[in-house]
Structure formats: C-alpha cells, structure tokens
Amino acid sequence: MLQTATSLRQLLRQQRNNISSSDRAKFDYSINQSIIKTALLMRSPKIASYLANDGEPALNLFIKTCSAGPSNHYLPVLSKQQLIFSPYSWGDELKNNCFNILEPSTKHVLPARLLSTILIPLVGFDHQGHRVGMGGGYYDRTLSFMLNPLCQKKPLLIGIAYSVQKIEEIKPQPWDVPLDAVITERGLSCFSIKAKHYLRTPS
Ligand SMILES: Nc1ncnc2c1ncn2[C@@H]1O[C@H](COP(=O)(O)OP(=O)(O)O)[C@@H](O)[C@H]1O
Ligand SMILES: [Mg+2]
C-alpha cells in the first residue's frame, strides 16, 4: 500500500514535470486567469498561495495581481512540521528554507485558521476533491483543526493543479483534509456548497 502510494506520487510528479515549457506557459496563464476571475479578490480578505516548486503551476501573475489589490496575500513558512503564513507582496525579500523553498520574513505570521482562502499545490486529486500531496503531510497537519466537527470558521481550500494530475479515485486517510475546489488549466471544479457559492463568477 505504502509502495503503491509512493509510486503513484512519483508517476504524477513525473507527468507534472514533463509538461513542455510552451504548454506550461499557456496552462499557467489559464490557471492564473481562472483564479483572478473568481470573486476571490473581492470577497476573500486574507489569501495564501505558494511559490511553485517541483513543476507546480506558477501563480506569479495571481500573486502580482493580489499584491496590488485589497486582499492581503500570504505565503507558507515551515514551522515545527506545520505551515504558518507570512504576508508577502510581489518583490518582498525571500529566503530559502531547509527544503530550498523560498519563504518570506516571519515577522507577522498568521495561523491557517485566520486565513479566508488557501491555494494549495497538489500531486494528485480526484472528482470528489480528495488530494494527494508530496507525502509529508504538511498541509494536513496544518489544517487538522478543520476536521473538528465544532470548527465553524474554515478557510476555503482550493487545490491548484494541471489536469494531468487528476486520477480516478483517491481513498482518503483519516487525517486527509478535503478540498473545496480545484482549479486547473481547464477551469474551476467545485466540490463543496461553500465553494459553489463563494467562487461564482461575478456578473
Ligand atoms: N493531522 C496530522 N497529525 C499527525 N500526523 C499527520 C497529520 N496529517 C498527516 N500526518 C502524517 O503525515 C504523513 C503524510 O500524510 P499524507 O496524507 O500521506 O501526505 P500528503 O498529504 O502530503 O500527501 C502521514 O503518514 C501522517 O502520519
Ligand atoms: Mg494527505
């Protein structure tokens, strides 16, 4: 089982890395436009995204747009096997962490529960919004508070992926936190009522 999950992650990461640079440029443009076209930038005051790593879709255009708008933008910072979130506007100083991933300064960090939306990179996803990550469980540990049935205020979780990362079915583990929606180069798929309501295109 463990071996199967590991080989599935390897295969999906390989497919993601094999996307040609011309396709990648087109796909990234579509993904960024899809995010920008949702009502997120008007309705979500605190949005976290990520800097692309290992062939993940690059959200640079979204980050630049968000930095110039009314929402506050954040990037994840690794802390004690979890992620906390630091304000980041395009052009701010960044430093490498122990995984060689760039992070902003940690002066004014926020816990995930205080964010309104988190754009999450992923390795695989299915038609119900189950997600496979890199295997470290960082987002699951960070978002575990959302599995508490008494938790009322939850950030909207949007997976960001290329369509080749969609797989038939992912059997979720008890600690896996499901996504509200996924955005690929083919557009937006909503899995929760909250996402359908929140992400409708403004008329
Ligand atoms: N809420 C949590 N508390 C403690 N450990 C966790 C939690 N969530 C995930 N983990 C650990 O992280 C490991 C990787 O999680 P997994 O869901 O397989 O990775 P990913 O989500 O990155 O694909 C799991 O084996 C599990 O032990
Ligand atoms: Mg998981």
Side-chain angles (χ1 to χ4, degrees), residues 75-119:
L75 285 177
V77 172
L78 196 58
S79 170
K80 298 181 198 147
Q81 298 294 306
Q82 293 204 19
L83 303 169
I84 48 178
F85 294 85
S86 263
Y88 175 75
S89 294
W90 190 256
D92 284 355
E93 195 191 335
L94 293 161
K95 283 194 184 131
N96 268 315
N97 70 10
C98 58
F99 292 120
N100 258 348
I101 296 175
L102 289 167
E103 294 180 343
S105 114
T106 51
K107 261 190 214 150
H108 305 286
V109 286
L110 278 191
R113 66 186 164 77
L114 295 185
L115 294 167
S116 42
T117 299
I118 310 180
L119 305 180

Side-chain angles (χ1 to χ4, degrees), residues 9 131-138 140-141 144 175-176:
R9 281 190 177 94
R131 164 187 176 274
V132 176
M134 296 281 274
Y138 287 95
D140 288 325
R141 273 191 295 276
S144 58
W175 58 80
D176 281 330

Side-chain angles (χ1 to χ4, degrees), residues 6-117:
T6 307
S7 14
L8 176 68
R9 281 190 177 94
Q10 261 171 9
L11 178 73
L12 288 164
R13 287 175 63 191
Q14 205 168 33
Q15 283 177 347
R16 186 170 68 182
N17 273 303
N18 284 349
I19 295 171
S20 70
S21 50
S22 61
D23 278 349
R24 188 175 288 278
K26 281 186 256 169
F27 294 170
D28 285 1
Y29 182 77
S30 300
I31 289 169
N32 279 271
Q33 286 301 331
S34 289
I35 303 170
I36 293 165
K37 270 193 238 153
T38 66
L40 265 190
L41 285 168
M42 280 181 288
R43 290 195 198 155
S44 194
K46 291 187 168 67
I47 308 177
S49 75
Y50 62 87
L51 294 176
N53 181 47
D54 190 49
E56 292 161 353
L59 299 187
N60 301 5
L61 181 60
F62 165 74
I63 297 174
K64 285 178 196 171
T65 309
C66 195
S67 302
S71 306
N72 292 312
H73 177 262
Y74 298 79
L75 285 177
V77 172
L78 196 58
S79 170
K80 298 181 198 147
Q81 298 294 306
Q82 293 204 19
L83 303 169
I84 48 178
F85 294 85
S86 263
Y88 175 75
S89 294
W90 190 256
D92 284 355
E93 195 191 335
L94 293 161
K95 283 194 184 131
N96 268 315
N97 70 10
C98 58
F99 292 120
N100 258 348
I101 296 175
L102 289 167
E103 294 180 343
S105 114
T106 51
K107 261 190 214 150
H108 305 286
V109 286
L110 278 191
R113 66 186 164 77
L114 295 185
L115 294 167
S116 42
T117 299

Side-chain angles (χ1 to χ4, degrees), residues 178-200:
L179 299 165
D180 290 293
V182 165
I183 291 176
T184 72
E185 76 281 5
R186 295 188 179 170
L188 167 71
S189 305
C190 293
F191 309 114
S192 69
I193 294 167
K194 181 179 169 187
K196 283 180 189 136
H197 171 76
Y198 207 82
L199 296 174
R200 68 172 190 270

Side-chain angles (χ1 to χ4, degrees), residues 108-176:
H108 305 286
V109 286
L110 278 191
R113 66 186 164 77
L114 295 185
L115 294 167
S116 42
T117 299
I118 310 180
L119 305 180
I120 305 181
L122 52 82
V123 170
F125 69 100
D126 72 5
H127 66 291
Q128 290 183 293
H130 299 133
R131 164 187 176 274
V132 176
M134 296 281 274
Y138 287 95
Y139 278 97
D140 288 325
R141 273 191 295 276
T142 304
L143 302 172
S144 58
F145 70 96
M146 293 174 65
L147 297 176
N148 182 338
L150 297 178
C151 174
Q152 291 195 330
K153 200 168 169 294
K154 300 175 182 179
L156 188 75
L157 305 182
I158 307 177
I160 305 294
Y162 297 115
S163 56
V164 288
Q165 294 170 253
K166 185 167 184 181
I167 50 179
E168 188 65 25
E169 192 170 7
I170 294 169
K171 192 172 176 296
Q173 301 298 318
W175 58 80
D176 281 330

